[in-house]
């Protein structure tokens, strides 16, 4: 099961999942999003990353990568140079961190999975805050695999993979509330894994075993899903990384298929990332993803121990800004 033993279990499942073909059949030209890898980020050969899982870019353009096997966060400068690592901020040794994000103030939030806690640092590694995460009812440990912070900094969303739920923290008082429980229906989770927040405040959570992405409104109401199990265009097999761009389009990486698809805010398929010849752009077990200010997509390639920086050329139709989300149909 994903997350059954935290970081170690999720990576083992990724590597033994059966090899499945990319979205079956030729991709229609209108669904081809031309993209190219313009840079890769990797640690030095004598100190490499091992099975990295997530990536974040701060407002200054510095990149941070969760290198959980090595119990650290790797940092890269704006020009892509390796710039050291964060392993024990304030003397708190990290233990298999899986997810991370940066907020609008440049703070780094780390899902310190093996320690069942969240650690907040400055970009230079100085400890700013940390808090433990209590076990779920029944005694199962909190399995924090990813984290996202609202634009106003008031709330934090934390994925609890093993307990099939999403924690919502009020950053003012530290109070936690929860959404979800195990199951297949809307408002239930089957091993949620990563989370991101769109510019319009909607929250997206990937389900690695549920083969979908669920959408939650800013008022914490269930608001539909993206994808369903399968290998066709628009379907998802093992979704892991998710990221939203400035226009609230959602990119979803599939760790087994090795592809990244893009959807509009409501879940309609925009297309799949392809090379200039029209072939599907493949990644080596894509995991966490994020966008930088210039609209480039950063994709962690777990099996290649690196991050691919991707530039996309969206067609005029694909660039269309989505209409404002109606909230009347959002369900509590």
């Amino acid at each position: 099961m994903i997350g059954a033993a935290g970081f170690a279990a999720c990576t083992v499942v990724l590597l033994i999942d059966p090899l499945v073909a990319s979205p079956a059949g030729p991709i229609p030209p209108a669904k081809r999003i031309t993209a190219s890898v313009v840079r890769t980020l990797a640690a030095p050969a004598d100190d490499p990353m091992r099975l990295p899982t997530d990536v974040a870019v701060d407002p200054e353009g510095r990149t941070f990568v969760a290198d959980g096997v090595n119990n650290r966060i790797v940092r890269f400068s704006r020009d892509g140079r390796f710039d050291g690592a964060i392993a024990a901020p304030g003397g708190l040794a990290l233990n298999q961190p899986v997810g991370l994000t940066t907020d609008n103030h440049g703070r780094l939030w780390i899902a310190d999975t093996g320690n069942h806690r969240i650690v907040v640092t400055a970009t230079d590694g100085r400890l700013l805050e940390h808090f433990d995460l209590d076990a779920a009812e029944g005694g199962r440990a909190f399995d924090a695999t990813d984290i996202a912070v609202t634009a106003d900094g008031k709330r934090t969303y934390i994925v609890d993979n093993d307990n099939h739920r999403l924690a919502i923290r009020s950053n003012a008082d530290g109070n936690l509330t929860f959404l979800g429980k195990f199951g297949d229906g809307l408002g239930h989770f089957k091993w949620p894994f990563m989370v991101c927040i769109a510019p319009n405040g909607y929250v997206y959570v990937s389900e690695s075993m549920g083969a979908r992405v669920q959408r939650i409104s800013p008022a914490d109401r269930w608001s539909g899903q993206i994808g369903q199990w399968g290998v066709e265009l628009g379907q998802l097999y093992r979704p892991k990384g998710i990221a939203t761009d400035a226009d609230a389009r959602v990119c979803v990486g599939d760790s087994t298929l090795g592809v990244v698809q893009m959807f509009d805010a409501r879940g309609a398929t925009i297309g799949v990332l392809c090379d200039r010849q029209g072939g599907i752009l493949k990644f080596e077990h894509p995991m966490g993803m994020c966008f930088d200010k210039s609209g480039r997509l950063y994709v962690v390639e777990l099996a290649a121990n690196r991050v691919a920086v991707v530039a996309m050329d969206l067609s005029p139709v694909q660039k269309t800004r989505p209409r404002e989300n109606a909230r009347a149909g959002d369900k509590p």
Side-chain angles (χ1 to χ4, degrees), residues 92-99 110-119 144:
L92 295 177
L94 300 178
N95 182 11
Q96 299 179 339
V98 172
I110 303 166
D112 190 12
T113 310
N115 286 319
H116 316 294
R117 68 185 175 197
I118 301 300
V119 176

Side-chain angles (χ1 to χ4, degrees), residues 2-330:
I2 299 283
F7 172 84
C10 78
T11 54
V12 169
V13 171
L14 278 167
L15 294 176
I16 64 174
D17 237 338
L19 294 177
V20 180
S22 297
I27 304 299
K31 298 296 183 181
R32 299 173 189 169
I33 301 172
T34 302
S36 59
V37 176
V38 296
R39 173 186 287 174
T40 57
L41 306 177
D46 60 353
D47 189 20
M49 294 188 289
R50 298 171 59 203
L51 304 179
T53 48
D54 203 7
V55 60
V57 179
D58 74 7
E60 301 302 318
R62 292 176 288 252
T63 304
F64 300 84
V65 184
D67 185 17
V69 171
N70 290 321
N71 300 316
R72 65 181 184 173
I73 305 299
V74 174
R75 183 175 58 226
F76 296 90
S77 64
R78 289 184 60 182
D79 60 4
R81 291 181 296 105
F82 175 77
D83 191 32
I86 300 169
L92 295 177
L94 300 178
N95 182 11
Q96 299 179 339
V98 172
L100 76 169
T101 192
T102 55
D103 64 21
N104 287 343
H105 299 288
R107 294 173 297 191
L108 180 65
W109 296 68
I110 303 166
D112 190 12
T113 310
N115 286 319
H116 316 294
R117 68 185 175 197
I118 301 300
V119 176
V120 186
T121 75
T123 55
D124 61 6
R126 287 180 293 111
L127 180 67
L128 300 177
E129 181 185 2
H130 67 94
F131 53 91
D132 294 329
L133 298 165
D134 294 333
E137 209 171 299
R140 179 171 290 185
F142 199 118
D143 187 30
T145 53
D146 202 18
I147 186 169
V149 183
T150 57
D152 60 13
K154 292 183 178 180
R155 296 202 296 173
T156 298
Y157 291 82
I158 308 164
V159 176
D160 187 1
N161 176 266
D162 248 3
N163 294 298
H164 315 287
R165 63 183 183 173
L166 181 68
I168 305 167
R169 181 181 190 257
S170 167
N171 291 333
D173 58 17
N175 184 54
L176 287 178
T177 56
F178 297 91
L179 290 176
K181 60 182 179 179
F182 181 79
D184 295 301
L186 190 66
H188 297 72
F189 290 120
K190 290 180 95 171
W191 288 276
F193 193 62
M194 290 191 162
V195 59
C196 70
I197 304 174
N200 55 18
Y202 278 74
V203 177
Y204 295 86
V205 181
S206 66
E207 288 179 73
S208 54
M209 301 300 286
R212 63 180 176 177
V213 172
Q214 288 203 60
R215 182 175 182 265
I216 302 165
S217 80
D220 298 332
R221 294 175 178 269
W222 301 101
S223 186
Q225 71 178 54
I226 294 173
Q228 59 184 357
W229 187 87
V231 298
E232 302 288 344
L233 182 67
Q235 296 179 330
L236 303 171
Y237 189 79
R238 287 289 183 266
K240 296 293 194 308
I242 48 176
T244 58
D245 68 7
D247 290 326
R249 291 176 292 242
V250 185
C251 279
V252 183
D254 197 302
S255 63
T256 298
L257 301 183
V259 304
V260 174
Q261 297 186 74
M262 179 178 278
F263 302 84
D264 71 17
R266 283 291 184 180
T269 305
I270 295 174
V272 60
L273 269 57
C274 293
D275 59 29
R276 297 194 180 280
Q277 290 72 47
I280 294 174
L281 191 62
K282 297 298 292 286
F283 300 91
E284 296 189 44
H285 289 281
M287 292 287 285
M289 303 190 300
C290 71
F291 281 94
D292 66 14
K293 285 184 176 180
S294 67
R296 297 184 304 179
L297 179 66
Y298 289 62
V299 182
V300 173
E301 294 187 88
L302 178 141
N305 298 316
R306 68 189 179 197
V307 176
V309 183
V310 181
M312 291 183 284
D313 181 16
L314 293 168
S315 70
V317 173
Q318 293 164 343
K319 285 182 180 180
T320 302
R321 183 182 293 270
R323 58 189 176 86
E324 185 64 24
N325 297 296
R327 300 190 183 183
D330 293 343

